[in-house]
Amino acid sequence: MITDECINCDVCEPECPNDAIYMGVEIYEIDPHKCTECVGHFDEPQCVQVCPVACIPTHPQHVETRETLWQKFERLTAAKQAAQGGGAAGSVPPAAASAS
Ligand code: SF4
């Protein structure tokens, strides 16, 4: 989570490999459904590494094990691949899809 000590410096948003950080009503916020604490991408949460005011503690209501975070990473990766049309059995090739 991002606390109200956030100074909206914009540094963390581009560092998130899951696009989980976004500008909220007043300060940046983290979507807990997308955040894997960088499991699957990096050894440490990148936002925590770059935040100049250290205002990104673990959310007390979203304490997750490494295994749970890894499962979320796998779900997110599968969803991303499905959205890109990659690897799905029976998917229509782009050339065939535009031929109609
Ligand atoms: Fe806010 Fe820290 Fe992100 Fe900067 S890096 S926008 S201070 S949470």
Side-chain angles (χ1 to χ4, degrees), residues 49-91:
Q49 301 287 309
V50 299
C51 180
V53 295
C55 67
I56 315 181
T58 302
H59 196 299
Q61 288 169 357
H62 294 284
V63 178
E64 298 169 272
T65 65
R66 195 167 176 84
E67 189 182 348
T68 305
L69 292 166
W70 180 261
Q71 288 168 354
K72 195 194 297 185
F73 164 73
E74 290 187 319
R75 270 201 314 277
L76 289 168
T77 302
K80 215 179 280 180
Q81 286 172 348
Q84 291 168 353
S91 63

Side-chain angles (χ1 to χ4, degrees), residues 7-63:
I7 57 172
N8 292 335
C9 72
D10 308 328
V11 169
C12 57
E13 186 187 17
E15 297 298 326
C16 179
N18 295 314
D19 295 328
I21 300 176
Y22 59 95
M23 185 64 202
V25 177
E26 291 184 2
I27 56 173
Y28 277 86
E29 296 180 20
I30 299 175
D31 181 346
H33 300 294
K34 289 184 173 180
C35 176
T36 65
E37 296 177 21
C38 284
V39 168
H41 297 280
F42 301 100
D43 290 339
E44 301 285 339
Q46 297 299 288
C47 59
V48 176
Q49 301 287 309
V50 299
C51 180
V53 295
C55 67
I56 315 181
T58 302
H59 196 299
Q61 288 169 357
H62 294 284
V63 178

